[in-house]
Amino acid sequence: MKAVIVLCRAKPAVVLGATALSALLLAGCDTVSRTTATRQFAVLETDKSGATDVNIASLSDVIQRNPNDAAAYNTRGAAYARAGSYNEAIADFTKAIQLDPNSASAYSNRALAYRQSGRNDSALQDFTRAINADPNYSAAYIGRANLQRALGNYEAAYSDLSQAIRLTPESAEAYHARGLVRQAQGQHRAAIGDFDAAIDRNPFVNAPYAARGQSLIATNQFDKAIEDYNAALNVNNKDADSWAYRGLAYEKSGRRQEAMESYQRASAIDPNNAVARQGLGRVQGGMASLFR
């Protein structure tokens, strides 16, 4: 069985083994913004083909024949999580842990399922258990760091991500997540360096471009920010936030017409996008004043 995992709705999709569900960084993609309260989370790609149901049925047959196979429960748990059945996923990961108490993967997978179902305390405990079971399991450090960042515990998140980078220096996810921590702390130039490293390692997802664009705006590098949002939109042209922030970069560089067009695109995708709504109010007012 293969589990398809999408980082921030990017294309192409990243295809991973089902037992590597813990590579899904549930909060690894949310960007920092003081003008909107929405956060963008990585999600399991919805399976519209029916393959997940088939895989769950097949895995259930495997488990029936091998009821003490921890890996089979871990794999079926990943399939349940992909289908959005988090209670069933948690039950399978729990069974996998009972059968193999040293399975860092099962602890980390269960932590992700807990987080998706809003049980952050349980998720934090499981990420820590995964690390205790295997101190070299970088996915658990990244998962715990993303949760710590969401809770506002930036120093703890930074420490975990630095450890993940030491363990897996080619991890785009770890650099991207650490960039988000630095961005949240207002350390935009350091954040840009981490986003650079993430993009160098994986240029095929939109989130690092979009995040770097925000830090470029914050440091008044508007032309570079526009380039980043163009790159982000080239990967995913349905991302309202990228359209909105491209509009902001255009507006700040004095290009009101382009700003208005970008804000309008963002609003067409998400009428509640605060950056686009506020930007349109400013830009349309300014454009109207030219004709008085």
Side-chain angles (χ1 to χ4, degrees), residues 199-216:
I199 291 166
D200 285 344
R201 286 157 176 77
N202 186 357
F204 300 112
V205 292
N206 70 330
Y209 294 105
R212 188 172 66 179
Q214 287 196 29
S215 286
L216 289 168

Side-chain angles (χ1 to χ4, degrees), residues 18-260:
T19 56
L21 177 66
S22 54
L24 174 62
L25 309 178
L26 296 182
C29 300
D30 53 315
T31 55
V32 174
S33 169
R34 291 186 174 88
T35 56
T36 176
T38 60
R39 286 182 179 271
Q40 184 179 12
F41 292 92
V43 295
L44 287 166
E45 182 182 19
T46 302
D47 180 8
K48 298 179 181 178
S49 68
T52 296
D53 291 338
V54 173
N55 286 332
I56 290 172
S58 297
L59 289 164
S60 295
D61 289 341
V62 171
I63 289 170
Q64 188 172 13
R65 293 193 302 270
N66 303 280
N68 294 319
D69 187 347
Y73 281 101
N74 200 18
T75 302
R76 190 176 69 175
Y80 274 128
R82 182 169 178 245
S85 301
Y86 298 113
N87 289 335
E88 290 83 355
I90 290 166
D92 270 357
F93 296 139
T94 299
K95 183 63 176 179
I97 290 165
Q98 290 171 351
L99 293 169
D100 182 5
N102 294 315
S103 174
S105 174
Y107 278 120
S108 192
N109 288 345
R110 191 172 70 174
L112 292 168
Y114 276 141
R115 184 162 185 208
Q116 280 289 74
S117 55
R119 299 163 66 179
N120 287 340
D121 289 344
S122 295
L124 197 59
Q125 291 172 4
D126 267 359
F127 282 130
T128 300
R129 290 179 180 127
I131 291 166
N132 289 339
D134 182 357
N136 294 319
Y137 195 59
S138 64
Y141 288 100
I142 298 171
R144 187 171 71 175
N146 286 330
L147 179 50
Q148 293 281 25
R149 175 171 51 82
L151 296 173
N153 301 325
Y154 299 128
E155 294 303 324
Y158 181 88
S159 177
D160 272 353
L161 291 165
S162 295
Q163 178 64 11
I165 289 168
R166 283 191 288 270
L167 291 170
T168 52
E170 292 307 308
S171 171
E173 292 83 0
Y175 277 107
H176 174 231
R178 194 173 72 174
L180 292 175
V181 171
R182 287 173 155 171
Q183 190 178 69
Q185 294 175 304
Q187 300 173 12
H188 290 287
R189 296 194 183 279
I192 289 168
D194 275 343
F195 296 137
D196 289 345
I199 291 166
D200 285 344
R201 286 157 176 77
N202 186 357
F204 300 112
V205 292
N206 70 330
Y209 294 105
R212 188 172 66 179
Q214 287 196 29
S215 286
L216 289 168
I217 290 173
T219 53
N220 299 319
Q221 301 180 70
F222 305 125
D223 289 342
K224 289 183 178 180
I226 291 166
E227 291 177 4
D228 267 1
Y229 287 115
N230 286 339
L233 291 165
N234 187 54
V235 176
N236 177 17
N237 68 0
K238 300 298 184 183
D239 182 2
D241 284 339
S242 289
W243 284 110
Y245 279 103
R246 191 179 78 160
L248 184 62
Y250 274 132
E251 182 185 355
K252 286 183 174 291
S253 60
R255 299 164 68 178
R256 285 179 171 268
Q257 182 61 42
E258 291 95 332
M260 184 169 65

